[in-house]
């Protein structure tokens, strides 16, 4: 019934789903979890406040990947960050300019921006022209962003999601215009540049935790606990398996390949 | 070489120089080149999107598979975002995209990102001291770096903070390595752009095409003037006033 | 009722298509694989339409810029003209293979793309100049690793000292690979957890509600 | 201006001076070639050996995710590998899943530089063009080539072309993938994990460290990285080309970069120590 060689994969997938699900369930039951600080996310409010003081907009880009790609979760996580950012911007009456590489994100961003404006009691702050799809070609996109930075000089730039080579171009652009920069990606190939060029950055898995962290929703925080259990499971498995391996048994290695 | 190709080479050279100039200062020529680039790139990709809609969506309908009219309809629904009242309709096509993307992401990531990585960490080679040492270093590094990502289980005391510290160092090594290696890639591209100017256009190092070389100097002067237009204007006004 | 149509059904659609994709990978059942394949084709079509939405948006935003005569409306005009020209040439027969379409690709599209990509080399230099500081133990390690990797990649370094490539290779194969392994594992767990939240309809970013 | 001010100004040096320096140092060997020897690295040698070991008439899948901006980084390697494959009489199938522009880039940048004229279309090679849909399309391609595609890039039916008539995914002896977009894992997941195809990746410098675990685990049978990989491969097949002539620039620019890295951090250290001393007084 199973596809060959995928039993272990399926078992792990289900196991990790169950762990995360249990965490969510515990959270819903009211169990409190203390979460490690994620400075980059705490910095969002500082960034928006800075923009409000300077009377300049905030810039946001949800990364490179479209919603139907394998890296879609990164984009979804970025949009969860955007949800919070849009609320903050509406609260402080700061316009937020969203530049986009992927057109399929347009309706989602549009909806989030509209809802945030309504929820914060400022429906007039929603402007469709602040959502700017530029080009799916990353360097053409960069040209568009460069023009926006030159003209509107955002005080804060938030770059979240999966990234490609243009990450450093946009980050250095922000640096040139003195923008306060918060970034986050699980794209391993771009993380070094965000760490080097931005004020704050989320690294890898932290991006996926952003939605839960920002919403402070007990249910979602429970999910983070579930993720930790998954990680500990991996650690425990590696430790036990290595000891067995050194004793001459490859049982745990074979187990992974069934 | 026909006239179109020559013209093309000159346009390409100008585009290359205008783009490079942005590193020094933003200027009108950079924005002109980039605006054309934005337009052509979107045009280009829309052509391919239409081609792909025709091949995957319309061709089957013309052959009688009417079920393919559903994605065409869903595709059109995405335009509902322009309506204030019915913008929620665009959630239907988006839902299909998000669901498919999420499913694809989850289904295979276990094998490539977890199982492979775990089993390679376990299999420590014991054939000589050096490979064993590397194997153990790898093991410690992987475990410590996983520890860095823990969110909620906050251990107390030295052991925990030691682990996260080591994990942090390991991750930083990975980042620095990638940074260092990226230099190779980016300079390959940089060299390529220089080659297209110096070799394809001007003909170096074998010979010098004087026409192109003069063109290059003229273009550089023009773009330079655009970059420092404000300073130059100030200078001119200054001399006039005095 | 309206909440059901507006919210619940799209969320169900998300869960349904995600679960379909997952099951299709693990269970070789004809019904699953044919419906997964069909869904994939639908997604291709919808993605094509979303690009058209993007193009429409681009035209609307830029036309508005021209009408309002905001600064930079000249650029907006250039964007629209070059877009329409490329589109027309691309669609004229033979589709996507018109010589003028190729010509635009070769001389208007390729050079800026390649140049901006290469320009990253310059930005790497300035980022390297700024970002690598000797402050903490970590920063020294980072500097040393980056430095050795750069030297390992320069052919001239191997001429000076044979050891550079092997040190670079060791850093890449052992400590750096260890970090990436942990990064992959963490990212995978994050992806799975987020995937579950999307399936359960808990992640706010997914549908823009 | 005292020595301290000089040091401090240098630390906050306007990066544009650095840029000018980079331009000069990198362009110099392009105008005055230096001819620094290049050592063949193990992943490139492995790729060469893997292709060398193929039997004549084997079929190789070219995962052409090439795009215009990657020309200078991947182009030379791509051309060198194609030349080698053609020399070995290997039959080639080109297809793209992630880069819509790959076919056009192939026409303008690759085809004119490789001897395709002596090959017969449909027998020696087939271009399947761009298949939208990313990983899903790749998976469906792997499970049934003819059903997924039906026609090639030029509209000819796959069942009428000799090479693709009965082609199954398992007939491929090797996958050569042009990887500017970090799509290796998709390929491995859909082609290697289920069907065990061997894989060579022609990739960017930025992706190389993260691909090393795959190389160590044997999932990759070889890897060519950036212009340097191209230069090494050109030397292996004894046809020096663009990459070999550009690789001197790699040396000079890298040395400059290494100096900048040390100088930048050293300056910051000295300035910090000096300012601490100043505060002490």
């Amino acid at each position: 019934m199973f596809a060959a060689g995928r039993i272990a994969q399926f078992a792990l997938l289900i196991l990790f789903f169950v762990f995360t699900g249990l965490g969510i369930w515990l959270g819903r039951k009211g169990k409190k979890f203390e979460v490690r600080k994620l400075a980059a996310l705490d910095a969002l409010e500082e960034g928006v406040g800075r923009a409000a003081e300077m009377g300049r907009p905030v810039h946001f880009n949800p990364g490179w990947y479209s919603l139907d790609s394998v890296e879609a979760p990164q984009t979804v996580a970025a949009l969860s960050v955007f949800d919070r950012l849009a609320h903050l911007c509406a609260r402080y009456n700061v316009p937020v300019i969203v530049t986009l590489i992927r057109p399929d994100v347009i309706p989602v961003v549009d909806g989030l921006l509209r809802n945030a404006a309504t929820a914060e009691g400022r429906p007039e702050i929603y402007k469709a022209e602040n959502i700017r799809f530029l080009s799916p070609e990353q360097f053409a996109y960069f040209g568009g962003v460069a023009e926006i930075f030159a003209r509107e000089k955002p005080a804060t730039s938030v770059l979240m999601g999966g990234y490609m080579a243009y990450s450093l171009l946009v980050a250095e652009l922000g640096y040139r215009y003195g923008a306060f920069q918060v970034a986050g990606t699980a794209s391993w190939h771009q993380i070094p540049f965000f760490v080097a060029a931005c004020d704050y950055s989320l690294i890898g898995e932290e991006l996926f935790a952003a939605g839960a962290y920002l919403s402070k929703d007990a249910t979602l925080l429970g999910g983070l606990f579930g993720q930790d259990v998954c990680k500990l499971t991996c650690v425990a498995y590696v430790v036990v398996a290595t000891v067995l391996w050194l004793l001459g048994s490859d049982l745990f290695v074979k187990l992974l390949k069934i | 070489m026909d006239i179109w190709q020559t013209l093309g080479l000159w346009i390409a050279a100008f585009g290359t120089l205008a783009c490079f100039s942005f590193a020094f200062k933003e200027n009108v020529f950079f924005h002109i080149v980039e605006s054309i680039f934005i337009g052509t790139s979107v045009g280009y990709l829309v052509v391919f999107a239409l081609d792909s809609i025709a091949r995957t969506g319309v061709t089957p309908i013309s052959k009688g598979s009417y079920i393919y009219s559903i994605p065409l309809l869903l595709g059109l629904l995405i335009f509902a975002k322009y309506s204030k009242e019915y913008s929620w309709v665009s959630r239907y096509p988006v839902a299909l995209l998000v669901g498919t993307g999420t499913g694809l992401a989850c289904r295979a990531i276990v094998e490539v990102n977890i199982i492979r990585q775990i089993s390679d960490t376990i299999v420590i080679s014991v054939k000589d001291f050096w490979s064993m040492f590397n194997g153990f270093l790898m093991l410690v590094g992987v475990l410590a770096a996983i520890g860095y990502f823990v969110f909620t289980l906050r251990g107390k005391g030295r052991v925990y903070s030691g682990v996260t510290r080591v994990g942090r160092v390991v991750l930083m090594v990975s980042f620095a390595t990638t940074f260092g290696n990226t230099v190779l890639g980016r300079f390959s591209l940089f060299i390529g752009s220089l080659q297209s100017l110096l070799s394809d256009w001007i003909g170096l190092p074998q010979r010098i095409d004087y026409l192109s070389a003069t063109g290059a100097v003229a273009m550089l002067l023009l773009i330079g003037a655009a970059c420092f237009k404000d300073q130059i204007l100030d200078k001119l006004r200054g001399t006039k006033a005095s | 009722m309206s909440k059901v149509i507006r919210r619940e059904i799209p969320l169900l659609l998300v869960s349904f298509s995600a679960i379909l994709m997952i099951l299709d990978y693990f269970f070789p059942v004809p019904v699953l694989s044919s419906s997964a394949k069909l869904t994939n084709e639908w997604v291709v079509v919808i993605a094509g339409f979303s690009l058209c939405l993007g193009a429409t948006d681009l035209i609307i935003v830029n036309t508005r810029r021209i009408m309002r005569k905001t600064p930079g409306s000249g650029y907006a005009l250039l964007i629209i003209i070059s877009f329409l020209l490329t589109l027309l040439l691309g669609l004229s027969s033979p589709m996507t293979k018109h010589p003028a379409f190729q010509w635009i690709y070769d001389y208007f599209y390729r050079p800026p793309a390649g140049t901006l990509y290469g320009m990253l080399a310059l930005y790497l230099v300035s980022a390297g100049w700024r970002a690598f500081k000797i402050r903490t133990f970590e920063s020294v390690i980072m500097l040393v690793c980056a430095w050795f990797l750069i030297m390992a990649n320069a052919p001239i370094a191997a001429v000076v000292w044979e050891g550079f490539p092997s040190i670079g290779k060791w850093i890449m194969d052992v400590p750096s690979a260890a970090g990436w392994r942990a990064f992959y594992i963490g990212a995978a767990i994050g992806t799975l957890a987020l995937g579950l939240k999307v399936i359960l309809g808990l992640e706010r970013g997914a549908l823009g509600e | 201006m005292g020595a301290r001010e000089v040091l401090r100004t240098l630390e906050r040096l306007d990066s544009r001076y650095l840029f000018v320096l980079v331009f000069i140092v990198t362009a110099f060997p392009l105008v005055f070639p230096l001819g620094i020897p290049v050592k063949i690295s193990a992943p490139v040698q492995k790729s060469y050996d893997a292709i060398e070991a193929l039997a004549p008439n084997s079929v190789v899948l070219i995962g052409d995710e090439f795009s215009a901006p990657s020309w200078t980084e991947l182009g030379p390697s791509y051309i060198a590998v194609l030349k080698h494959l053609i020399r070995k009489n290997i039959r080639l199938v080109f297809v793209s899943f992630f880069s819509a522009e790959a076919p056009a880039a192939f026409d303008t940048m690759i085809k004119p530089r490789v001897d395709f004229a002596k090959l017969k279309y449909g027998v020696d090679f087939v271009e399947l063009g761009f298949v939208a849909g990313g990983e899903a399309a790749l998976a469906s391609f792997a499970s049934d080539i003819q059903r997924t595609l039906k026609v090639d890039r030029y509209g000819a039916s796959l069942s009428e072309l000799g090479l693709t008539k009965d082609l199954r995914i398992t007939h491929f002896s090797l996958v050569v993938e042009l990887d500017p977009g970090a799509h290796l894992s998709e390929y491995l997941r859909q082609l290697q994990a289920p069907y065990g195809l061997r894989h060579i990746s022609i990739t960017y410098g930025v992706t190389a460290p993260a691909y090393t675990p795959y190389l160590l685990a044997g999932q990759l049978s070889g890897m060519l990285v950036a212009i340097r990989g191209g230069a090494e491969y050109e030397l292996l097949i004894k046809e020096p080309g663009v990459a070999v002539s550009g690789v001197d620039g790699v040396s000079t620019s890298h040395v400059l970069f290494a100096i900048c890295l040390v100088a930048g951090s050293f300056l910051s250290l000295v300035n910090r120590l000096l300012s601490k001393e100043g505060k002490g007084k």
Side-chain angles (χ1 to χ4, degrees):
Chain A
M1 188 178 82
F2 265 103
R6 288 182 186 165
I7 296 177
Q9 293 177 43
F10 188 67
L12 264 183
L13 180 87
I14 295 301
L15 189 69
F16 285 2
F17 271 3
V18 167
F19 283 159
T20 316
L22 273 179
I24 292 173
W25 181 74
L26 280 176
R28 185 158 281 182
K29 282 263 149 182
K31 186 150 171 41
K32 293 266 176 295
F33 295 102
E34 198 185 323
V35 183
R36 159 167 83 87
K37 249 176 89 71
L38 294 173
L41 294 173
D42 297 335
L44 283 180
E45 185 146 7
E46 184 191 341
V48 176
R50 185 176 186 266
E53 264 170 41
M54 298 170 81
R56 294 206 214 137
V58 170
H59 167 247
F60 178 78
N61 170 239
W64 161 266
Y65 292 100
S66 59
L67 289 171
D68 59 328
S69 76
V70 205
E71 298 289 349
Q74 291 207 55
T75 309
V76 173
L79 291 169
S80 291
V81 175
F82 178 68
D83 181 44
R84 168 76 174 164
L85 187 70
H87 275 87
L88 283 173
C89 285
R91 196 173 305 158
Y92 286 90
N93 202 6
V94 175
V96 52
I97 300 172
V98 186
T99 58
L100 296 175
I101 287 195
R102 295 296 162 186
D104 54 357
V105 189
I106 297 174
V108 184
V109 171
D110 193 74
L112 289 173
L113 203 56
R114 231 184 260 256
N115 286 353
T118 323
E120 297 291 333
R122 284 186 214 268
E124 76 284 354
I125 202 174
Y126 164 82
K127 285 199 187 77
E129 66 251 39
N130 280 347
I131 302 169
R132 303 192 196 156
F133 164 73
L134 294 168
S135 170
E137 211 305 320
Q138 52 178 329
F139 299 106
Y141 162 83
F142 167 69
V145 177
E147 214 235 323
I148 288 171
F149 267 74
R151 206 148 25 89
E152 312 188 33
K153 303 199 170 50
T156 300
S157 176
V158 181
L159 311 168
M160 292 278 165
Y163 275 81
M164 284 295 189
Y166 73 99
S167 67
L168 181 62
L169 284 175
V170 179
E172 283 283 313
L173 186 73
Y175 177 79
R176 182 186 282 192
Y177 287 99
F180 177 79
Q181 305 203 83
V182 184
T185 182
S187 303
W188 45 266
H189 38 94
Q190 301 308 326
I191 255 291
F193 311 117
F194 279 156
V195 172
C198 294
D199 297 286
Y200 290 97
S201 35
L202 289 177
I203 295 169
E205 196 189 353
E206 293 173 354
L207 174 67
F208 299 112
Y213 185 87
L214 286 171
S215 66
K216 303 270 188 284
D217 174 0
T219 314
L220 294 176
L221 289 179
L224 291 187
F225 172 73
Q227 276 169 259
D228 285 348
V229 176
C230 297
K231 267 167 273 180
L232 291 189
T233 313
C234 289
V235 169
Y237 193 95
V238 170
V239 171
V240 174
T242 313
V243 171
L244 280 181
W245 167 260
L246 291 174
L247 292 175
S249 155
D250 60 351
L251 173 72
F252 272 52
V253 182
K254 279 206 181 123
L255 213 52
L256 286 174
K257 299 207 165 106
I258 56 170
Chain B
M1 200 185 282
D2 69 85
I3 177 85
W4 284 104
Q5 203 182 344
T6 315
L7 181 68
L9 269 179
W10 280 67
I11 291 171
F14 186 78
T16 304
L17 289 175
C19 284
F20 272 140
S21 73
F22 185 76
F24 296 92
K25 202 163 186 301
E26 62 132 345
N27 62 76
V28 61
F29 292 113
F30 170 76
H31 289 310
I32 288 177
V33 169
E34 273 294 333
S35 303
I36 297 175
F37 185 25
I38 293 176
T40 42
S41 66
V42 176
Y44 196 80
L45 290 161
V46 166
V47 169
F48 280 99
L50 291 174
D51 186 43
S52 141
I53 292 174
R55 275 209 282 181
T56 338
V58 182
T59 318
I61 294 179
S62 66
K63 285 186 186 147
S65 311
Y66 294 108
I67 195 163
Y68 285 88
S69 49
I70 300 176
L72 290 180
L73 184 72
L74 280 171
L76 285 173
L77 288 185
I78 209 165
F79 284 89
K81 84 131 221 179
Y82 289 117
S83 148
K84 251 202 188 105
E85 214 167 313
Y86 294 103
S87 64
W88 56 270
V89 173
S90 63
R91 274 184 206 159
Y92 280 81
V94 171
L96 205 59
L97 295 183
V98 174
T100 314
T102 309
L104 285 175
C106 290
R107 71 187 210 177
I109 206 165
V110 181
E111 156 74 7
V112 178
N113 278 29
I114 301 180
I115 291 188
R116 281 277 178 174
Q117 306 307 334
I118 286 183
S119 49
D120 291 344
T121 313
I122 298 167
V123 184
I124 293 174
S125 163
V126 284
K127 70 173 189 280
D128 57 68
F129 169 76
W130 187 236
S131 45
M132 231 169 108
F133 171 78
N134 282 344
F136 275 104
L137 200 62
M138 174 80 92
L139 178 71
V140 173
V142 171
L143 296 185
I146 293 179
Y148 173 81
F149 286 113
V150 167
F151 296 112
T152 58
L153 303 162
R154 315 205 49 193
K156 292 194 174 64
R158 288 229 184 100
V159 179
Y160 175 78
S161 64
V163 168
T164 44
R165 178 94 195 265
V166 174
R168 213 183 126 74
V169 172
V170 173
L171 283 170
M172 290 300 152
V173 168
S174 314
F175 297 165
T177 312
T178 301
F179 192 101
N181 227 53
T182 308
V183 175
L184 172 64
R186 301 303 185 242
F187 269 101
S188 307
L189 295 161
F190 184 66
I191 290 166
S193 289
L194 288 181
Q195 269 181 330
S196 72
L197 280 179
L198 295 172
S199 314
D200 301 353
W201 191 41
I202 302 181
L204 287 165
Q206 284 84 16
R207 60 191 179 84
I208 297 181
D209 181 337
Y210 284 101
L211 187 63
S212 320
T214 323
V217 173
M219 284 177 192
L220 279 177
L221 286 176
L222 186 67
I223 295 170
C227 282
F228 298 101
K229 140 185 126 215
D230 296 337
Q231 283 93 327
I232 294 171
L233 284 178
D234 281 353
K235 264 266 161 62
L236 286 177
R237 274 190 213 117
T239 45
K240 242 181 222 165
S242 65
Chain C
M1 180 62 201
S2 80
K3 200 182 165 210
V4 172
I5 304 177
R6 282 173 191 229
R7 185 161 186 279
E8 312 290 327
I9 297 182
L11 282 178
L12 271 178
L13 199 56
V14 171
S15 321
F16 176 76
S17 45
I19 293 172
L20 175 66
M21 286 299 143
I22 293 174
L23 292 183
D24 165 54
Y25 179 77
F26 292 106
F27 304 97
V29 182
V31 184
L32 281 178
S33 65
S34 58
S35 31
K37 193 172 152 21
L38 201 62
T39 314
N40 279 327
E41 286 175 347
W42 290 13
V43 165
V44 171
V45 176
I46 296 172
F49 274 100
S50 79
L51 205 55
C52 300
L53 173 77
T56 319
D57 240 35
L58 191 76
I59 299 247
I60 291 178
V61 168
N62 284 299
T63 317
R64 215 178 264 157
R65 272 170 76 186
I66 298 169
M67 307 256 273
R68 289 192 192 155
K69 298 204 173 71
T70 49
S73 49
Y75 303 136
L77 189 65
L78 271 180
I79 292 178
I80 293 182
I81 292 175
S82 50
F83 167 72
L84 291 177
L85 194 68
T86 317
L87 186 68
L88 286 178
L89 286 173
L91 293 180
S92 58
S93 136
M95 193 156 152
T96 75
K97 285 175 202 73
H98 194 282
F101 185 62
Q102 289 280 356
W103 188 79
I104 288 182
Y105 175 80
D106 252 11
Y107 299 113
F108 279 92
Y109 187 115
R110 198 151 70 79
T115 313
L116 284 172
Y117 219 149
M119 211 165 82
L120 278 166
L122 300 178
Y123 283 168
L124 273 179
V125 176
S126 63
W129 183 268
R130 274 203 330 266
F132 287 87
K133 308 262 152 161
I134 302 174
R135 263 200 213 108
T136 53
F137 175 66
E138 274 104 329
S139 62
V140 176
I141 297 246
M142 276 184 87
L143 178 69
V144 171
C145 289
W147 193 83
F148 268 104
L149 247 289
I150 290 166
M151 290 311 272
N153 280 332
I156 197 171
V159 178
V160 177
W161 181 45
E162 293 261 322
F164 278 120
S166 19
I167 292 183
K169 192 174 172 320
W170 181 81
I171 295 175
M172 221 161 108
D173 286 358
V174 184
S176 163
W180 287 129
R181 269 186 193 162
F183 189 93
Y184 288 156
I185 293 172
I189 290 171
T191 303
L192 291 175
L194 191 115
L196 182 68
K197 286 183 222 162
V198 169
I199 291 173
L200 296 177
L202 294 173
E203 192 71 27
R204 297 192 51 85
L207 279 183
E209 20 167 339
Chain D
M1 197 156 67
R4 280 184 191 188
E5 278 91 292
V6 174
L7 284 175
R8 212 157 289 150
T9 327
L10 271 178
E11 190 194 345
R12 272 172 308 207
L13 184 73
D14 189 335
S15 29
R16 285 179 275 191
Y17 295 108
L18 287 177
F19 295 168
V20 175
L21 205 62
V22 173
F23 267 102
I24 295 172
V25 168
T26 316
F28 181 81
L30 298 181
V31 183
F32 307 102
L34 304 172
I36 300 161
V38 180
K39 214 175 142 209
I40 311 292
S41 59
V44 176
Q45 185 69 49
K46 273 173 89 178
S47 319
Y48 178 83
D49 294 343
I51 290 177
E52 195 59 31
L54 291 176
N57 276 325
S58 314
V59 195
V60 168
L61 181 72
I62 311 282
D64 184 4
E65 311 303 345
F66 194 66
S67 64
S70 45
W71 156 245
T72 43
E73 195 165 353
L74 305 182
S77 307
Y78 192 3
I79 288 172
V81 169
L82 281 183
K83 279 181 178 164
H84 190 199
L85 285 167
I86 289 172
R87 198 193 285 169
K88 296 273 303 172
N89 288 325
I90 309 289
R91 294 179 293 166
L92 306 170
V93 175
F94 295 84
V95 66
S96 324
F97 295 97
F98 302 96
S99 165
E101 55 179 295
F106 179 75
D107 286 344
T108 54
M109 289 138 97
I110 306 298
K111 232 176 178 177
R113 292 178 166 92
V114 182
D115 197 6
F116 272 98
K118 66 171 189 195
L119 300 185
K120 200 164 161 354
Y121 187 82
V123 179
D124 297 319
F125 74 108
V126 169
E127 296 169 42
L128 298 179
F130 172 67
V131 189
E135 183 167 0
L138 184 54
S140 126
F141 172 82
S143 64
D144 191 336
I145 298 172
Q146 288 80 0
R147 221 193 112 191
T148 309
L149 281 165
K150 301 174 189 89
V151 290
D152 74 350
R153 206 184 141 201
Y154 304 99
S157 168
L158 288 194
S159 47
E160 282 158 22
L161 295 169
L163 178 51
T164 49
K165 198 164 60 187
D166 303 309
L167 194 64
R168 291 281 163 275
I169 195 71
T170 42
H171 295 171
F172 291 108
S173 0
L174 184 73
V175 180
V176 175
E177 182 221 353
L178 277 292
D179 192 342
H183 292 302
L184 176 65
S185 48
E186 283 97 319
Y187 270 87
L188 292 184
R189 276 199 289 258
Q190 302 305 340
L191 298 183
Q192 188 170 73
Y195 305 100
L197 295 188
R198 282 155 42 94
H199 195 107
I200 290 177
S201 180
I202 300 179
T203 191
Y204 280 0
V206 62
T207 44
Y211 283 3
T212 306
Y214 296 121
L215 202 63
L216 295 178
Q219 284 165 287
L220 278 180
S221 308
M223 174 163 83
L224 276 72
V225 182
I227 191 172
R228 174 147 190 200
E232 290 173 21
Y233 213 93
E234 282 175 4
L235 291 174
L236 278 173
I237 61 165
K238 301 195 175 61
E239 283 191 42
V242 212
V244 168
S245 70
V247 82
D248 280 349
V250 172
S251 279
T252 54
S253 59
H254 275 60
V255 170
L256 176 71
F257 202 116
I259 294 173
C260 280
L261 215 54
V262 174
S265 45
F266 182 73
L267 275 172
S268 83
L269 180 71
V270 171
N271 282 333
R272 209 155 48 87
L273 292 179
L274 283 177
S275 69
K276 255 190 202 157
E277 201 181 283
K279 269 182 205 150
K281 278 172 195 167

